[in-house]
Amino acid sequence: MRVVAAMSGGVDSAVAAARMLDAGHEVVGVHLALSRSAATLRESARGCCTIEDAGDARRVADRLGIPFYVWDMAERFQRAVMDDFVAEYAAGRTPNPCLRCNESIKFTALLDRAVALGFDAVATGHYAQVVERVGAGGAVVRELHRAVDADKDQSYVLGVLDAEQLSRAFFPLGDTTKPRIREEAAARGFSVAKKPDSYDICFIPDGDTRAWLTTRLGEQPGEIVDATSGEVVGGHQGSYGFTVGQRRGLGLDRSALDGDPRYVVGVDAPTNRVLIGTTDLLGVDVIRADHARWCGPPPAGEVRLGAQVRAHGEEVPAWARVDDAEPEVVHVRLDVRLRGVAPGQSVVLYDGTRVVGSATIASTDRSARGIVEHSMTLNGSG
């Protein structure tokens, strides 16, 4: 099989390429140039896609003896990921750019180009597993499952893959823990064996999302409003800098609010208002999500599944329902109330370890049922 190995310059994609080669495939390494002005060096462990990263990927490819190319997808990445990120925050939502990148870049633009050039599949260093089973009529069905390493599992950000994309995807690291991957990289003589992992948002290397958005949207002074009383309790320089569940960075005098902590409970972009409230206003157990993407057949009727609303959040039991009249809309009813669930985030549905699919959260609500309030790790920044 002819395979394009997406090589970011990190240790994971290096070992993924090596394993595909060991498995007997014809492998070509490809580094995606996603920045129009790539920095020379990385800022500690933040960010990626620098000239240094491209060089690291090339050195690994040379050591493996495979061809290596750099494909320029900066313009596509700007439109599909960065511009979408700005537009979503401007609309009062909280997007996950990693899901958009996987959907629009790595498993659409990259895969489409690879197939057009005669390749059969794309391999990446994501921590997830593809499990093959025999379906009806003897056909082989490929399923997306969680990785063995729960701490590194990335099945959540891959929940946007449809069945066709999944049929051409390989994730060679899913059966191995991260420490073992580093050991393997060192044994293979890869210079990236001890290279720090990149984290946060790759195109915001300093991690200051609010400042990055301000340079693109400008300051937009508005009011911070108590959701219960309707009282204006503070001001801000742009509602786009806040997300549901946020506690830090509100700039409020807690003594004037009975001393109790306040959280963002809503962002009203049309009025440029940020709504705050106490923890009891945060919990939701009803989710309506659109832009559904299914890794296989969509659920029929109301089914019992697990739901996860953050990349590193925990899965909770839920009921999910898809109506025939709205096949791209998913209604999810959680067994417990989750805090800090924001429109724009993705809800990914699981059947055991298998990823069923995902959808983008459009709205949330509280049912009248008396159920347990469940604390999630709340965002500290917008």
Side-chain angles (χ1 to χ4, degrees):
M1 187 177 292
R2 301 188 69 217
V3 177
V4 165
M7 302 182 69
S8 66
V11 61
D12 296 329
S13 60
V15 174
R19 287 187 170 188
M20 293 303 293
L21 191 64
D22 289 349
H25 300 293
E26 179 185 341
V27 179
V28 170
V30 170
H31 179 80
L32 299 182
L34 302 179
S35 173
R36 292 176 174 174
S37 55
T40 302
L41 299 174
R42 303 169 102 223
E43 297 183 26
S44 67
R46 294 181 183 270
C48 63
C49 310
T50 65
I51 296 173
E52 177 188 4
D53 292 319
D56 287 340
R58 182 179 296 278
R59 281 185 285 275
V60 170
D62 289 344
R63 187 166 185 84
L64 293 174
I66 62 174
F68 178 81
Y69 301 95
V70 175
W71 289 359
D72 184 358
M73 293 193 177
E75 184 176 346
R76 177 73 174 263
F77 184 79
Q78 176 74 45
R79 292 197 316 269
V81 180
M82 296 175 67
D83 290 350
D84 174 79
F85 185 82
V86 174
E88 285 290 281
Y89 266 104
R93 295 188 289 267
T94 305
N96 186 313
C98 293
L99 277 91
R100 296 287 79 80
C101 182
N102 285 332
E103 178 182 357
S104 302
I105 305 299
K106 293 177 182 174
F107 295 97
T108 297
L110 172 62
L111 181 57
D112 287 351
R113 183 181 295 188
V115 171
L117 292 173
F119 291 90
D120 302 297
V122 166
T124 72
H126 286 97
Y127 283 81
Q129 297 186 88
V130 173
V131 176
E132 294 186 348
R133 64 173 181 83
V134 178
V140 176
V141 178
R142 304 187 92 223
E143 299 177 341
L144 178 63
H145 285 253
R146 289 192 184 275
V148 167
D149 190 336
D151 291 335
K152 299 299 294 184
D153 175 55
Q154 293 175 295
S155 61
Y156 176 90
V157 296
L158 295 169
V160 291
L161 301 189
D162 61 27
E164 174 60 26
Q165 293 168 327
L166 193 58
S167 72
R168 294 180 178 272
F170 285 91
F171 308 114
L173 310 188
D175 63 351
T176 312
T177 63
K178 182 59 177 269
R180 293 294 299 274
I181 292 298
R182 289 200 179 276
E183 291 173 4
E184 182 176 332
R188 292 178 182 272
F190 293 161
S191 60
V192 295
K194 295 183 178 180
K195 186 175 181 178
D197 292 338
S198 59
Y199 63 96
D200 290 332
I201 301 169
C202 67
F203 51 86
I204 309 180
D206 65 0
D208 192 341
T209 301
R210 183 182 293 180
W212 189 88
L213 288 168
T214 299
T215 63
R216 286 149 181 83
L217 295 171
E219 292 189 350
Q220 301 175 18
E223 299 172 335
I224 297 178
V225 179
D226 186 282
T228 302
S229 67
E231 178 186 358
V232 176
V233 295
H236 61 77
Q237 298 303 310
S239 62
Y240 55 77
F242 299 83
T243 186
V244 173
Q246 178 178 335
R247 178 180 176 183
R248 297 195 299 271
L250 301 182
L252 302 176
D253 180 2
R254 285 179 58 183
S255 64
L257 298 168
D258 303 322
D260 290 334
R262 294 296 195 272
Y263 301 87
V264 175
V265 298
V267 177
D268 189 352
T271 64
N272 195 28
R273 283 186 161 193
V274 175
L275 306 177
I276 64 165
T278 51
T279 55
D280 58 300
L281 298 182
L282 279 177
V284 301
D285 61 308
V286 176
I287 294 172
R288 182 184 182 277
D290 52 26
H291 189 58
R293 303 271 297 181
W294 304 110
C295 300
E302 190 170 40
V303 295
R304 191 71 170 157
L305 296 170
Q308 184 173 328
V309 298
R310 296 190 184 206
H312 301 291
E314 65 178 288
E315 176 187 330
V316 299
W319 290 97
R321 175 173 53 84
V322 180
D323 291 332
D324 293 338
E326 295 181 300
E328 289 195 353
V329 175
V330 184
H331 300 271
V332 181
R333 182 161 47 88
L334 307 170
D335 281 12
V336 296
R337 288 196 177 117
L338 295 181
R339 299 175 184 173
V341 183
Q345 292 174 334
S346 291
V347 55
V348 177
L349 302 172
Y350 291 84
D351 181 8
T353 62
R354 179 176 68 89
V355 181
V356 177
S358 70
T360 304
I361 297 172
S363 62
T364 62
D365 203 350
R366 298 165 66 98
S367 70
R369 298 176 299 146
I371 61 176
V372 176
E373 193 91 2
H374 189 71
S375 296
M376 292 181 63
T377 300
L378 301 178
N379 278 355
S381 59

